[in-house]
Amino acid sequence: MHAWTSPDIPALPGHGAQVHLYDTLAGAPAPTRPEGPATLYVCGITPYDATHLGHANTYVGFDLLVRAWRDAGREVRYVQNVTDVDDPLLERATENGQDWRELADSQTDLFRSDMTALRVVAPDHYVGAVEAIPLVVEAVERMVAEGSAYRVALPEGAGGTEPELGDVYADLAADPLFGTGAGLEPEQMRRVFADNGGDPDRPGKHEPLDPLLWRRTRPGEPDWDGGSLGRGRPGWHIECACIALHHLGPVVEVQGGGRDLVFPHHEMSESHLRVLQHTPAPVLLHAHGGLVAYEGEKMSKSRGNLVLVSELVAGGADPMAVRLVLLAHHYRDSWEYTDADLAAATERLARWRQAMTGDGGPAAEDLLAEVRAALADDLDAPTALAAMDRWVDAALAPGAADVGGAELARRTVDALLGVAL
Ligand code: 5CA
Ligand code: ZN
């Protein structure tokens, strides 16, 4: 599917440093590669209620990575998916009395316009689960043939004209490295799996954690040609594995998303990548953003405690102020949104813009160096904002130096932080 239009990124003198990123699994910062093409996979939305500040936090966070990598001279290949068919989307469409495609299309469109307003660089490939079905079918057929996936008998009424072809599950026993990622105890894994769309108690599975790869036809659910698997629809984790593999190749340098995806989603999709390629380390670095809360709980579609970007903007918020709300928090921090965040960001934006009037301003070479250093150090946006605040203070001080630095300051915050003044 089409993504959205990327903002122009102004040129800057010189280059940024090699980017270091905190690796969730290692529990420590790690260097990304110093040169060569970078491959990035960030898990996209399930389009049934877009785009809340939690989503925006995730995509603005990884947008900093894209910008820092490019500034360091690396070519970036960026892929993001859209889970445009899945249980929660179908359930919401039924609740609304709406066609599921209409719901997915309208929410994906809203997401695109929110990302455009927030000046998020678009992925090179924006891929829907539905359009990835042929990739999933091929991969799952191969896993069945190789013995790393198996069929489970269907409940009465499922499977259309071929009920003998069961649902297909991954056999996690085929991947000795499964379970070594998130560092959870077996009991925790089972609980988190059950809370995130998993079905540990389904009869016929080899192991409770084995994840669904292909779900056969059910009455009232959409289904697609599954070749030898029979008609059905894809499981969640295999969707991301297949899209990443197809569009990025064998190695994903950074696999990203919000922290809620560490387990089971990222652990399972990486396991699928290992099994499909017979390689031990298809993902080099696992990066996760913090979770944004509202009214005391994680902001989530299922809870309904949402602050939507589009609603803030419709209420008069400048999208650049919304972006500054997010950048004021380190991407890995979890935080709770309040109206005071937007008020503070709106004030900051006004001051920054005030400092841009006229074409003078103090020298900005140090500012550029500070912002670059902050981003290279695990995308530390709050430190970058503080550097710009200091430059703005200097620019607005009585008798300020006036050597024409405003243009470089403007380019710096636009190119590296995505804030257009
Ligand atoms: N479609 C799947 C990923 S393949 C999915 O998780 N969709 S989502 O719409 O629920 O979330 C989209 C992205 O936003 C994910 O990376 C998720 O980790 C992140 N996210 C969801 N809620 C929050 C939140 N409250 N705070 C921060 N990030 C969040
Ligand atoms: Zn995903």
Side-chain angles (χ1 to χ4, degrees), residues 16-373:
Q18 183 179 2
V19 179
H20 288 63
L21 208 54
Y22 187 90
D23 185 322
T24 313
L25 302 198
T32 60
R33 287 170 161 174
E35 56 192 12
T39 51
L40 172 65
Y41 187 90
V42 178
C43 281
I45 55 163
T46 304
Y48 65 95
D49 222 341
T51 314
H52 62 62
L53 284 178
H55 301 136
N57 192 63
T58 298
Y59 302 113
V60 166
F62 287 100
D63 187 50
L64 297 178
L65 175 61
V66 170
R67 289 167 183 270
W69 264 342
R70 283 197 184 181
D71 183 52
R74 297 193 66 191
E75 179 205 329
V76 180
R77 287 160 51 200
Y78 178 14
V79 175
Q80 193 180 119
N81 70 308
V82 185
T83 308
D84 58 359
V85 62
D86 200 8
D87 298 343
L89 171 76
L90 298 174
E91 282 159 20
R92 177 62 63 88
T94 305
E95 258 169 57
N96 293 358
Q98 199 179 5
D99 184 277
W100 64 274
R101 276 162 296 222
E102 231 170 70
L103 176 61
D105 288 349
S106 65
Q107 295 302 303
T108 306
D109 268 343
L110 185 58
F111 179 72
R112 289 187 184 100
S113 60
D114 291 338
M115 291 299 104
T116 307
L118 292 174
R119 297 180 72 79
V120 172
V121 175
D124 303 292
H125 298 280
Y126 193 48
V127 186
V130 170
E131 59 190 358
I133 285 173
L135 302 175
V136 172
V137 169
E138 196 244 81
V140 176
E141 283 180 328
R142 195 146 59 79
M143 287 171 76
V144 171
E146 290 179 2
S148 52
Y150 61 93
R151 298 179 203 271
V152 170
L154 298 176
E156 197 62 38
T161 56
E162 298 168 298
E164 70 286 0
L165 294 174
D167 292 331
V168 183
Y169 282 78
D171 194 343
L172 291 174
D175 173 24
L177 290 174
F178 174 80
T180 57
L184 299 178
E185 296 299 323
E187 199 37 52
Q188 287 173 299
M189 284 200 261
R190 203 174 151 142
R191 188 172 43 76
V192 180
F193 178 61
D195 288 347
N196 287 274
D199 53 359
D201 300 323
R202 168 108 187 241
K205 281 171 53 167
H206 293 182
E207 287 296 332
L209 289 178
D210 287 349
L212 178 72
L213 297 173
W214 186 252
R215 177 178 164 90
R216 294 295 322 288
T217 304
R218 300 289 195 279
E221 289 186 8
D223 61 2
W224 288 266
D225 181 10
S228 64
L229 307 174
R231 291 188 72 80
R233 61 181 168 96
W236 176 29
H237 318 299
I238 191 73
E239 161 201 344
C240 283
C242 290
I243 295 172
L245 184 57
H246 184 76
H247 293 281
L248 293 176
V251 175
V252 179
E253 184 167 351
V254 172
Q255 177 190 48
R259 188 168 304 147
D260 54 338
L261 299 186
V262 174
F263 190 89
H265 184 52
H266 284 170
E267 179 129 9
M268 293 200 169
S269 54
E270 187 177 3
S271 170
H272 297 334
L273 284 173
R274 277 194 294 266
V275 165
L276 284 167
Q277 302 186 84
H278 308 286
T279 53
V283 176
L284 301 187
L285 210 153
H286 311 77
H288 294 96
L291 298 179
V292 182
Y294 186 55
E295 294 172 338
E297 284 196 88
K298 176 195 157 193
M299 203 175 281
S300 78
K301 293 176 276 218
S302 46
R303 288 195 187 92
N305 57 335
L306 305 181
V307 179
L308 300 184
V309 171
S310 50
E311 284 177 2
L312 290 178
V313 172
D318 187 312
M320 291 297 93
V322 177
R323 187 160 172 125
L324 280 174
V325 166
L326 304 168
L327 295 178
H329 302 271
H330 192 279
Y331 81 97
R332 278 197 295 115
D333 285 346
S334 290
W335 51 283
E336 176 160 352
Y337 174 77
T338 68
D339 293 345
D341 288 280
L342 182 60
T346 303
E347 204 179 303
R348 177 180 249 151
L349 183 65
R351 263 181 76 71
W352 286 17
R353 287 199 167 135
Q354 193 190 345
M356 289 296 147
T357 51
D359 53 6
E365 282 76 11
D366 287 355
L367 168 66
L368 172 58
E370 284 166 16
V371 171
R372 277 181 165 152

Side-chain angles (χ1 to χ4, degrees), residues 351-415:
R351 263 181 76 71
W352 286 17
R353 287 199 167 135
Q354 193 190 345
M356 289 296 147
T357 51
D359 53 6
E365 282 76 11
D366 287 355
L367 168 66
L368 172 58
E370 284 166 16
V371 171
R372 277 181 165 152
L375 289 189
D377 179 12
D378 196 24
L379 312 175
D380 184 354
T383 296
L385 298 196
M388 179 59 175
D389 285 339
R390 282 194 299 279
W391 183 89
V392 166
D393 286 345
L396 294 176
D402 195 8
V403 297
E407 180 56 22
L408 181 57
R410 181 201 302 277
R411 283 171 174 269
T412 297
V413 295
D414 188 345

